[in-house]
């Protein structure tokens, strides 16, 4: 066989850890083991029927051709209305681009702007695709750690310290995957103050979990708090999370016209345009009844509370209550160094994840892959019964560990 030589960019990245964790769990399940699988990052609900119908109607109407590279005029008008209605922002169609998922929009932004060695600040814990997409596009991810005491949020001082003349972007993901952190008005204002002192830094504002929040009240948009930063901010959002449309692959970005133009060129030479049918579906979703969003958020909130109640009863785990998204990020530092019944040492969160999977049939994702060791991530996209069984397995797994400190106590 002729040797396959990989590009330098392909060499820099690996398979998303979530996908790897899921594949490992599925392989075990296929071998007959009972596995509670809490690694997923997509809603477990089906796409609402009215949205599916809009796609069927689009097909029937012959909406089956290439669209303009930045997306259809109709969808961009619907996005414009959404940004005005929900966020109080005014974005003309030429400042909006539709991509094949929010992920693709982020990818296009980096592909269009990064040069070798450019730095992108990635606050940890982070969605693993952020640093990977920076790296594949020749940039250098600069990770900034956070503390549970700060709710896993980036502080102004840490942001300031991370900025260099090579910094091109700051990624701000609120609500955050994996921590569920949601930045408040004061916190965003304080970060904006730092950014004003560094006019060369752009902001990639990932709001893909915008609607999945548990604090109820309305939130002021970052660009209403700091409208002067609109000229260097890219908003990213999409269909996947609010409308349970992960497989449709439709997301969008809104930003300064020069950036959107550059991203459109990149897109026109790669995917040409996003799917015509998916675009028709998202337009219908944005214009339609939003009851599905409210009911799914109510379900996530119930699941979050179920998990938090259960975690509170397990000695050795701590969880800052997630304010949004559908994950619980659990601090397991008290378990590092413990010994399993087989006499093996849990030296890291990665060891803990393997122990929980192989010995207790619970699949979760290690915090190390989110840039934050000593944690594990629970996904909440499963039924109450599955989640209850998952935390029961966690409790059993933790109870079976021998811990020096606990025994001394
Ligand atoms: C933080 C974050 N941003 C963006 C995305 C991208 O979602 P999609 O490409 O399905 O729109 C995800 C998906 O997991 C995510 O967790």
């Amino acid at each position: 066989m002729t040797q396959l030589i990989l590009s330098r960019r392909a060499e820099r990245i690996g398979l998303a850890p979530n996908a790897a964790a899921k594949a490992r769990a599925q392989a075990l399940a296929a071998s007959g083991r009972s596995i509670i699988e809490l690694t997923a990052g997509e809603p477990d609900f089906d796409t609402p029927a009215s949205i599916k119908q809009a796609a069927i109607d689009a097909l029937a109407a012959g909406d089956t051709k290439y669209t303009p590279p930045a997306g259809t005029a109709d969808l961009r008008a619907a996005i414009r209305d959404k940004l005005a209605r929900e966020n109080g922002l005014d974005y003309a169609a030429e400042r909006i681009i539709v991509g094949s998922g929010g992920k693709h929009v982020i990818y296009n932004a980096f592909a269009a702007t990064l040069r070798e060695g450019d730095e992108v600040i990635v606050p940890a814990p982070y969605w693993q695709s952020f640093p990977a997409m920076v790296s594949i596009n020749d940039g250098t991810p600069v990770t900034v750690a956070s503390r549970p005491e700060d709710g896993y949020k980036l502080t102004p001082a840490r942001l300031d310290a991370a900025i260099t003349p090579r910094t091109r972007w700051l990624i701000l993901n609120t609500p955050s995957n994996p921590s569920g952190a949601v930045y408040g008005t004061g916190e965003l204002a304080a970060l904006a103050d730092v950014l004003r002192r560094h006019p060369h830094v752009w902001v990639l504002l990932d709001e893909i979990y915008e609607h999945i929040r548990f604090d109820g009240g309305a939130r002021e948009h970052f660009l209403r708090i700091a409208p002067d930063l609109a000229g260097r901010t890219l908003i990213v959002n999409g269909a996947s999370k609010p409308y349970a449309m992960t497989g449709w692959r439709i997301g969008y970005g809104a930003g300064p016209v020069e950036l959107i133009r550059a991203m459109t060129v990149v897109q026109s030479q790669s995917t040409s345009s996003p799917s015509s049918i998916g675009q028709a579906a998202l337009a219908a979703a944005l214009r339609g009844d939003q009851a599905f969003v409210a009911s799914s958020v109510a379900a996530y909130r119930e699941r979050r509370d179920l998990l938090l109640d259960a975690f509170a009863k397990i000695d050795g785990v701590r969880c800052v209550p997630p304010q949004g998204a559908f994950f619980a990020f659990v601090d397991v530092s008290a378990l590092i160094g413990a010994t399993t019944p087989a006499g093996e040492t849990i030296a890291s969160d990665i060891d803990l994840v393997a122990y929980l999977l192989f010995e207790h049939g619970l699949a979760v994702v290690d915090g190390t892959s989110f840039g934050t060791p000593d944690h594990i991530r629970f996904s909440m996209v499963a039924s109450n019964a599955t989640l209850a069984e998952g935390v029961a397995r966690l409790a059993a797994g933790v109870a079976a560990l021998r811990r020096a400190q606990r025994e001394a106590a």
Side-chain angles (χ1 to χ4, degrees):
M1 199 184 83
T2 311
Q3 192 197 352
L4 174 68
I5 298 170
L6 292 181
S7 66
R8 293 278 178 237
R9 58 182 50 225
E11 275 181 344
R12 275 181 234 133
I13 58 165
L15 193 62
N18 288 358
K22 191 176 177 134
R24 199 163 60 157
Q26 282 174 341
L28 272 184
S31 73
R33 291 279 309 274
S34 154
I35 303 292
I36 295 290
E37 218 264 285
L38 299 177
T39 61
E42 60 180 342
D44 50 332
F45 307 110
D46 196 4
T47 306
S50 58
I51 300 176
K52 289 183 178 176
Q53 189 57 50
I56 293 167
D57 293 347
L59 276 171
D63 203 351
T64 54
K65 309 290 188 211
Y66 291 128
T67 77
T72 62
D74 185 56
L75 175 54
R76 284 189 286 159
I79 293 166
R80 179 181 194 168
D81 290 349
K82 180 268 175 215
L83 290 168
R85 184 177 67 241
E86 294 186 354
N87 308 112
L89 301 174
D90 182 16
Y91 276 86
E94 59 175 5
R95 295 172 64 203
I96 295 170
I97 184 170
V98 183
S100 303
K103 189 177 202 167
H104 186 223
V105 172
I106 299 167
Y107 188 98
N108 282 342
F110 291 151
T113 59
L114 291 182
R115 296 185 179 188
E116 201 164 332
D118 283 350
E119 295 172 3
V120 177
I121 297 177
V122 187
Y126 49 70
W127 179 45
Q128 307 102 330
S129 292
F130 288 141
M133 289 193 284
V134 171
S135 297
I136 198 171
N137 284 301
D138 298 336
T140 303
V142 175
T143 305
V144 181
S146 64
R147 305 182 309 164
E149 302 87 279
D150 297 321
Y152 298 105
K153 291 180 217 177
L154 176 67
T155 61
R158 285 177 187 239
L159 170 60
D160 202 30
I163 294 174
T164 76
R166 295 302 309 261
T167 307
R168 296 291 309 284
W169 291 92
L170 160 68
I171 298 178
L172 214 48
N173 174 213
T174 177
S176 147
N177 171 11
S179 72
V182 176
Y183 287 80
T185 301
E187 290 163 336
L188 291 174
L191 293 176
D193 279 343
V194 175
L195 290 163
R196 283 190 191 102
R197 293 203 296 275
H198 303 280
H200 64 293
V201 180
W202 286 58
V203 183
L204 193 145
L205 185 65
D206 180 338
E207 302 192 297
I208 210 100
Y209 296 99
E210 175 188 21
H211 293 99
I212 306 174
R213 286 195 291 109
F214 310 125
D215 51 0
R219 287 247 161 203
E220 188 110 53
H221 194 274
F222 175 65
L223 289 180
R224 299 279 297 178
I225 297 163
D228 54 314
L229 300 186
R232 50 179 166 128
T233 297
L234 176 69
I235 296 171
V236 177
N237 210 323
S240 292
K241 317 291 175 171
Y243 304 115
M245 290 174 69
T246 46
W248 297 70
R249 309 310 304 128
I250 296 289
Y252 59 89
V257 71
E258 328 79 72
L259 173 65
I260 299 298
R261 255 189 229 133
M263 290 167 63
T264 304
V265 170
V266 170
Q267 179 149 286
S268 74
Q269 298 295 7
S270 50
T271 57
S272 293
S273 75
S275 141
S276 57
I277 300 148
Q279 291 187 68
L282 177 58
L286 291 173
R287 293 194 178 112
D289 179 6
Q290 304 296 305
F292 171 79
V293 180
S295 67
S296 52
V297 172
Y300 297 137
R301 184 187 291 116
E302 197 179 309
R303 295 166 181 184
R304 177 197 69 158
D305 294 344
L306 180 157
L307 281 182
L308 290 176
D309 283 352
F311 292 147
K313 297 188 188 103
I314 304 174
D315 177 29
V317 308
R318 286 190 310 161
C319 182
V320 175
Q323 304 298 311
F326 36 57
F327 308 102
F329 200 54
V330 182
D331 179 344
V332 292
S333 48
L335 305 177
I336 307 304
T339 310
T340 71
E344 279 162 4
T345 303
I346 302 284
S348 68
D349 53 323
I350 297 171
D351 287 352
L352 182 67
V353 164
Y355 163 73
L356 291 172
L357 178 63
F358 292 109
E359 303 303 326
H360 294 274
L362 170 64
V364 291
V365 187
D366 58 271
T368 296
S369 63
F370 302 99
T372 307
D374 298 348
H375 288 72
I376 56 177
R377 189 193 76 172
F378 269 70
S379 166
M380 305 196 282
V381 283
S383 68
N384 288 5
T386 304
L387 287 173
E389 175 60 19
V391 277
R393 292 184 184 198
L394 173 71
V398 171
L401 293 174
R402 271 191 299 119
R403 279 184 278 156
Q405 265 174 344
R406 199 174 47 163
E407 270 155 22

